[in-house]
Structures are given as C-alpha cells and as structure tokens.
Amino acid sequence: MDSAREVSDGRLTVEGFSVASRAFADKWKIHNQSFPPWSWVPLINRTLLVSKKQEEGYLSLEKIIILSSLEEEIPEDESLNVATDCLEKEETVDHTILVPTMENEAHYYDFHIVYSASYKVPVLYFRGYCSGGEPLALDVIKKDVPSCSVSLLLESKWTFITQEEHPYLNRPWFKLHPCGTEDWIKLLSQSSSSSGCQMPIVLYLVSWFSVVGQVVGLRIPLEMLN
C-alpha cells in the first residue's frame, strides 16, 4: 500500500496500520514534546511469516505518571500532563516520596495502539497501576482522567471500555472497543472529501487518536493534523 493512499471506507490493512503508526509516532515526537515518544514494538515471530512491507507490531507509550494528590491543583483537562514533569525529573526525584500514602500516590499508565485484524482498525489498550505494580480498577482510573473524558465516555455512542486479555501480552488490559471506529472514521473521511480531498493514510491514526485519546485524557496538538 502506498503511504499516500487515501482512506475511504474507514478501515486499514496491516501494512496501512504500520505506515499510519510510524507517521503518527513521528508527528507526536515533533509536535508533542512534553510527552515521551511512542515506540513501535515489532512482532518478530509474526513478521517472519509476512513480507517486510507488512511488518506487524504495535505502538507503545508507557509509564505515564499521574499524581492523584495534585488533582485538585491542576485544571482537569491537564491532569495527565503531570506525566511530563515526572518523567523529565525522573533522575533527580526521590520516588519514595510518591509512595507512602493514598493521598500522594503515583499512578502509572501504559497505552498500546494495536491493530485489530477482525475490525481492521486500530484499538487503544491501556492499564493503570500503582508504584508497587498493583493494577488499578476502572473506577479508580475514571477518577484520574479529566471529568470531561468521563463524560465523553458516558455520552459517546462510538466507544465503550471493556476488559480482556491483551492480544500479545496475555494479561488483562482495558480497551476502547472498536465496534464504532469504522463508522466515525468514515464520517471524518467524508468530511475531508467534502473539502475536496480524502483522508491520507498517514493521517489516519492522528485523526483517530484526536477522538479516542480524549477518552483517556490524552489530547494531541492541532499541528499534528496538518
């Protein structure tokens, strides 16, 4: 698939997902430097069975830190940005001060963007855990993300959270169910076509994450959509 190919039906091939993922990661690194970069995790065993043009893998953004004690001090729509300061100061901060009490406990989040072969769309998997590794329940996670994100989750007809085994790690993760992804990507594509152009493959994940990321409190800079 040519990286310049346009999206019309809301779906991606494995190769298209690889192209879109790398374009998304590159744009994130350039325009969203307050966060760590997304990493491409290749699935070596699977990749050996297909051509290089169809390299399989997924995107990973891990150890994003949220300090629940700072929740009231920070505007709600910036609560996840606490991760930036924590990661930048990782080498100088004594992390033991983040652990002792529930009032000042660090919550860590991992995010993976995985290709769904059945739906032929990307899926956001995520998990939250304490500094000791104990997993966070969904109710706790909802308290960490901005209230507008929780409202979006409750009101949106396009997505909902489920918990199931991570397709590659064989551990329970939460995911935003992809059942409505194809339909609303079609709407975005149709909106682009009404302006005289179709959505290019390289902007697929950027456009997708501009919607999905809000559900977990991760927003992208507008510059990434250009």
Side-chain angles (χ1 to χ4, degrees), residues 10-47:
R11 296 182 294 174
L12 285 174
T13 62
V14 173
E15 182 186 347
F17 175 72
S18 177
V19 170
S21 294
R22 295 172 192 278
F24 172 79
D26 289 344
K27 282 178 171 288
W28 178 280
K29 186 175 182 178
I30 294 172
H31 298 294
N32 208 4
Q33 297 182 6
S34 59
F35 274 85
W38 287 85
S39 301
W40 175 258
V41 181
L43 302 173
I44 299 176
N45 292 337
R46 291 170 177 262
T47 299

Side-chain angles (χ1 to χ4, degrees), residues 35 87 122 141 165 199:
F35 274 85
L87 289 174
I141 292 174
E165 191 174 86
M199 180 193 300

Side-chain angles (χ1 to χ4, degrees), residues 64-71 79 82 86 95-109 128-137 140-141 143-144:
I64 301 299
I65 304 173
I66 298 175
L67 291 179
S68 54
S69 64
L70 298 180
E71 190 171 307
S79 63
V82 176
C86 292
H95 288 277
T96 57
I97 66 173
L98 305 180
V99 179
T101 66
M102 290 298 293
E103 289 77 15
N104 193 32
E105 183 176 16
H107 289 169
Y108 295 74
Y109 284 85
Y129 50 97
C130 301
S131 54
E134 300 85 358
L136 299 178
V140 176
I141 292 174
K143 292 179 181 179
D144 281 342

Side-chain angles (χ1 to χ4, degrees), residues 141-157:
I141 292 174
K142 287 181 177 180
K143 292 179 181 179
D144 281 342
V145 301
S147 59
C148 59
S149 297
V150 177
S151 298
L152 179 64
L153 183 62
L154 293 174
E155 297 171 3
S156 175
K157 64 179 180 179

Side-chain angles (χ1 to χ4, degrees), residues 108-125:
Y108 295 74
Y109 284 85
D110 296 342
F111 301 94
H112 289 175
I113 299 176
V114 178
Y115 179 72
S116 169
S118 55
Y119 286 93
K120 300 187 184 303
V121 296
V123 181
L124 180 65
Y125 282 81

